[in-house]
Amino acid sequence: MDKFAVSTGLAGLGIGLSALAVLGWLIYLLAKKRAGGGRVLSLAVNALVLFLLSATLIFMSLFVQTLNRYLHDQRIGTITARAADGLIWIDYHDLEKGIHHQFSLEGDQWMAEAYLVRWSPLLRWMGAGAYYKIDRFEGRCEADSSRPVSVHAIDPSHRNLWRQLLKHGGKIPLVDAAYGVAVFQYPSKQRFGLYLRSEEHTSELQSPNTI
């Protein structure tokens, strides 16, 4: 997370707590009938100014965080795919979980498939990024569809939940859309990065880039 967004958000929260303290003190004085009209007005104005400043800083923090998510692709994994002995040997490193998956696929190309949930505009402006799950890798034939290919599941859990999200995602509160995506590439001696891109109207897996 952006340091400026974090520091601005923390400052906004701190000022907001100060505003609540001033408001609490004002309520206490009014309850005890110890505050004159001028002091009440002064404390009320101070609390209002602090609340406005707190709201401005928190909004700025959320805006900067959301803007950074739109401007910068999130690398979620690295992939090494080498062709040998008629197979594609894959080493997929899940950067979020810190887990390496090593397996082989049949085919001319490898393909990564994932599920994505895109949140409502309100949650996105509050800084919520797309929720994703890399589901599986699959071999892909370029020409001959009768050639056998293979599939390797990365995380087969909760598939029924994702199936319901795909069918009814647009009807669920705070969910803008749910869909499946895939990217594919030829095996290579180079290492690829797998990226998640979030834009104003879509979230997607970006075509793998060498790193």
Side-chain angles (χ1 to χ4, degrees):
M1 187 179 293
D2 186 90
K3 291 182 179 180
F4 176 77
V6 172
S7 59
T8 305
L10 291 176
L13 290 175
I15 294 174
L17 292 175
S18 300
L20 289 175
V22 172
L23 184 60
W25 178 243
L26 174 59
I27 294 173
Y28 171 79
L29 293 178
L30 289 174
K32 297 294 184 179
K33 298 181 180 180
R34 296 180 181 178
R39 191 175 185 187
V40 169
L41 179 61
S42 176
L43 288 173
V45 170
N46 287 338
L48 179 60
V49 170
L50 288 173
F51 272 124
L52 291 175
L53 181 58
S54 172
T56 300
L57 290 175
I58 291 175
F59 177 80
M60 184 184 300
S61 173
L62 295 175
F63 175 77
V64 170
Q65 183 180 348
T66 303
L67 183 64
N68 280 334
R69 184 168 282 114
Y70 285 151
L71 295 179
H72 299 93
D73 298 331
Q74 176 188 358
R75 191 169 74 182
I76 59 177
T78 61
I79 302 166
T80 302
R82 294 184 172 86
D85 302 324
L87 298 172
I88 301 175
W89 297 89
I90 302 287
D91 182 349
Y92 167 59
H93 182 200
D94 186 330
L95 295 179
E96 181 182 8
K97 298 179 180 178
I99 299 176
H100 279 273
H101 300 268
Q102 296 179 329
F103 51 92
S104 62
L105 297 173
E106 294 180 283
D108 302 314
Q109 301 168 330
W110 58 267
M111 180 167 62
E113 301 178 9
Y115 297 113
L116 281 175
V117 171
R118 180 174 171 80
W119 304 113
S120 66
L122 174 62
L123 290 183
R124 293 203 303 272
W125 276 103
M126 292 178 64
Y131 181 67
Y132 71 92
K133 187 187 83 164
I134 303 298
D135 180 55
R136 64 182 185 177
F137 279 72
E138 184 176 349
R140 186 173 185 271
C141 289
E142 187 175 24
D144 186 4
S145 59
S146 64
R147 181 181 170 185
V149 295
S150 55
V151 175
H152 180 84
I154 296 297
D155 184 3
S157 63
H158 309 301
R159 280 188 173 167
N160 186 56
L161 171 63
W162 282 101
R163 189 178 299 111
Q164 296 304 315
L165 284 172
L166 291 177
K167 290 181 179 180
H168 310 292
K171 302 176 184 178
I172 301 175
L174 302 181
V175 174
D176 190 17
Y179 44 89
V181 293
V183 293
F184 55 88
Q185 184 56 277
Y186 287 99
S188 170
K189 295 181 179 180
Q190 298 173 306
R191 188 163 57 117
F192 295 94
L194 193 60
Y195 295 84
L196 179 65
R197 171 180 291 173
S198 295
E199 298 178 349
E200 184 178 359
H201 300 295
T202 185
S203 296
E204 61 184 7
L205 283 183
Q206 187 181 1
S207 298
N209 295 326
T210 57
I211 55 176

